[in-house]
Amino acid sequence: MRSLKMENSTHHATENSSINCTIDHHIHQTLSLTIYILVLVVGLPANCLSLYFGYLQIKAKNELGIYLCNLTIADLFYIFSLPFWLQYFLQHDNWTYDEKLCKICGILLYENIYISVGFLCCICIDRYLAVVHPFRFYQFRTIKAAVVVSIIIWSKEILMSWRLFTHADVSKDAESHIICFEHYPIKDWERNFNYYRFFAGFLFPFFLLLFSYCGILRVVRKSHGTQKKRKIQIKCLVSSTVVIFLVCFGPYHILLVIRSLFETNCNFAEKIFNYYHFALLLTSLNCVADPLLYCFSSESTYQNFVKIRDSCLTCLRSLRTKTKVSYQMKTPEVLRKNSSVPAAEEPEISKKLHTVHEMKDSSTTSIDRL
């Protein structure tokens, strides 16, 4: 009986390498669930707002809006796949949907990283050219150029996704659970692909981002016309971008290379599993950080946000006023009081109300100019 079991496991091992590995997926039922729910709850409305603000940038003929919209769309695609992963984790890493859907969700999870990195690089290069070379490379800072670059990035990632789609498959673990988009130990075709992801998808963009923002800081530091407060704001934005890039994408890509170099057996796969998946969780936080950094930190976007907030508050106040007036008009005491008010005082009351509205408009204008 034991030998038959060993023969069966050997047969399945040749069919799929992950059958021999008994991995403890407890991190998926605890930390992964918490992080994915947080990203879903916070990331969805934040990215919807940033998509609207990106549209406003495009409407104002700002090429930065093209990159922001594409970045947000990539994040939203990933967020839409999270409910499937949540159910997968709740069922103790057992994929119950179609195999093609597993591949699609896996591609959205992994390729979102590189689409995001690509458009983050576009944003930092666009800012670098705008600050360091404002007149020299103007032809690259147009709506048309941004659209062409966006098509190139999406086309490149779709081609890479197709390779993943044809190679990736589901597998079974020792408990007959269907594992989606993962193999333990790592397969041979994944190793070279992971090296490419590390160098072309992380290391090169990181140095590009670092070079661009160092050039921006150098110019801002030498500028005498820029206010000190604005200089501090730019420095915080640049340093926050670099730190978030490193925190979200650095640990994952380092562990990706470590797995590709040393993961040849189940013993190593079991040891690195929790560290690797914690690093993978950090990449998902990028979906929350992107709108905060690249949309809500913008001065014009902040002004638009203030306008929307003020409009909502004005609507709420007007609704409350109408409700209060309609309630008061129904009471017999108010009817008796209204009958005793002289008609000559009505123009004076309307004049006072007009003055109050003028004060509100002037305060809104002063906020918009900040």
Side-chain angles (χ1 to χ4, degrees), residues 173-237:
D173 63 4
E175 298 176 349
S176 296
H177 286 183
I178 299 175
I179 307 300
C180 177
F181 219 77
E182 290 183 310
H183 307 101
Y184 304 102
I186 199 169
K187 288 189 174 182
D188 290 334
W189 70 267
E190 291 178 283
R191 299 181 195 278
N192 293 330
F193 190 65
N194 289 343
Y195 295 142
Y196 166 80
R197 289 164 71 185
F198 176 76
F199 289 105
F202 170 72
L203 205 59
F204 176 72
F206 172 68
F207 283 120
L208 194 63
L209 183 143
L210 206 60
F211 169 79
S212 299
Y213 281 134
C214 284
I216 291 171
L217 289 177
R218 199 182 310 116
V219 171
V220 170
R221 197 180 298 114
K222 292 178 181 178
S223 176
H224 299 290
T226 309
Q227 294 180 354
K228 188 178 179 180
K229 184 181 177 181
R230 183 58 182 159
K231 285 183 179 182
I232 294 170
Q233 191 179 15
I234 293 170
K235 287 178 183 177
C236 289
L237 178 63

Side-chain angles (χ1 to χ4, degrees), residues 143-354:
I143 295 287
K144 187 178 178 180
V147 170
V148 171
V149 171
S150 301
I151 291 171
I152 292 170
I153 290 174
W154 280 102
S155 301
K156 170 183 167 291
E157 293 307 326
I158 288 170
L159 286 173
M160 298 306 295
S161 299
W162 178 249
R163 185 183 174 185
L164 279 174
F165 191 85
T166 53
H167 282 82
D169 54 5
V170 296
S171 55
K172 284 188 178 182
D173 63 4
E175 298 176 349
S176 296
H177 286 183
I178 299 175
I179 307 300
C180 177
F181 219 77
E182 290 183 310
H183 307 101
Y184 304 102
I186 199 169
K187 288 189 174 182
D188 290 334
W189 70 267
E190 291 178 283
R191 299 181 195 278
N192 293 330
F193 190 65
N194 289 343
Y195 295 142
Y196 166 80
R197 289 164 71 185
F198 176 76
F199 289 105
F202 170 72
L203 205 59
F204 176 72
F206 172 68
F207 283 120
L208 194 63
L209 183 143
L210 206 60
F211 169 79
S212 299
Y213 281 134
C214 284
I216 291 171
L217 289 177
R218 199 182 310 116
V219 171
V220 170
R221 197 180 298 114
K222 292 178 181 178
S223 176
H224 299 290
T226 309
Q227 294 180 354
K228 188 178 179 180
K229 184 181 177 181
R230 183 58 182 159
K231 285 183 179 182
I232 294 170
Q233 191 179 15
I234 293 170
K235 287 178 183 177
C236 289
L237 178 63
V238 169
S239 58
S240 299
T241 305
V242 174
V243 168
I244 287 174
F245 189 91
L246 281 174
V247 170
C248 288
F249 302 124
Y252 170 72
H253 284 91
I254 290 168
L255 288 170
L256 202 66
V257 171
I258 292 172
R259 282 192 69 194
S260 301
L261 288 171
F262 303 109
E263 190 176 299
T264 56
N265 53 62
C266 291
N267 189 31
F268 186 87
E270 289 167 12
K271 288 179 181 178
I272 204 171
F273 181 85
N274 285 340
Y275 300 105
Y276 174 75
H277 279 269
F278 177 74
L280 186 61
L281 285 175
L282 290 177
T283 64
S284 65
L285 296 178
N286 180 63
C287 293
V288 179
D290 285 344
L292 297 176
L293 268 182
Y294 291 95
C295 295
F296 302 140
S297 61
S298 169
E299 194 69 27
S300 59
T301 305
Y302 176 75
Q303 291 174 2
N304 289 324
F305 185 77
V306 169
K307 287 179 182 178
I308 293 171
R309 183 198 65 185
D310 289 344
S311 299
C312 292
L313 289 174
T314 304
C315 289
L316 285 171
R317 285 168 187 162
S318 62
L319 284 171
R320 286 176 184 173
T321 305
K322 285 179 181 178
T323 306
K324 189 176 179 181
V325 169
S326 62
Y327 175 76
Q328 287 179 344
M329 287 181 70
K330 290 176 183 179
T331 58
E333 291 84 358
V334 173
L335 288 172
R336 285 196 294 269
K337 286 180 181 178
N338 285 341
S339 62
S340 61
V341 175
E345 290 184 12
E346 289 182 4
E348 188 66 27
I349 293 170
S350 62
K351 190 176 179 181
K352 287 179 181 179
L353 288 171
H354 182 68

Side-chain angles (χ1 to χ4, degrees), residues 21-39:
C21 295
T22 305
I23 305 291
D24 182 13
H25 300 91
H26 187 66
I27 189 174
H28 285 170
Q29 280 79 54
T30 53
L31 189 61
S32 296
L33 280 174
T34 306
I35 296 296
Y36 279 3
I37 290 171
L38 176 68
V39 171

Side-chain angles (χ1 to χ4, degrees), residues 67-127:
Y67 299 132
L68 290 174
C69 281
N70 279 282
L71 180 66
T72 306
I73 289 168
D75 287 340
L76 285 172
F77 276 146
Y78 167 66
I79 288 170
F80 291 149
S81 72
L82 289 182
F84 297 102
W85 289 113
L86 286 170
Q87 186 173 359
Y88 174 66
F89 296 152
L90 286 169
Q91 293 178 341
H92 298 275
D93 286 28
N94 186 24
W95 188 264
T96 56
Y97 298 105
D98 187 68
E99 183 179 344
K100 289 181 181 179
L101 186 59
C102 160
K103 291 182 178 182
I104 292 169
C105 289
I107 287 168
L108 289 175
L109 191 152
Y110 286 104
E111 288 304 310
N112 168 259
I113 297 170
Y114 303 104
I115 293 173
S116 297
V117 167
F119 285 111
L120 290 179
C121 284
C122 289
I123 291 169
C124 77
I125 291 170
D126 183 84
R127 286 178 171 179

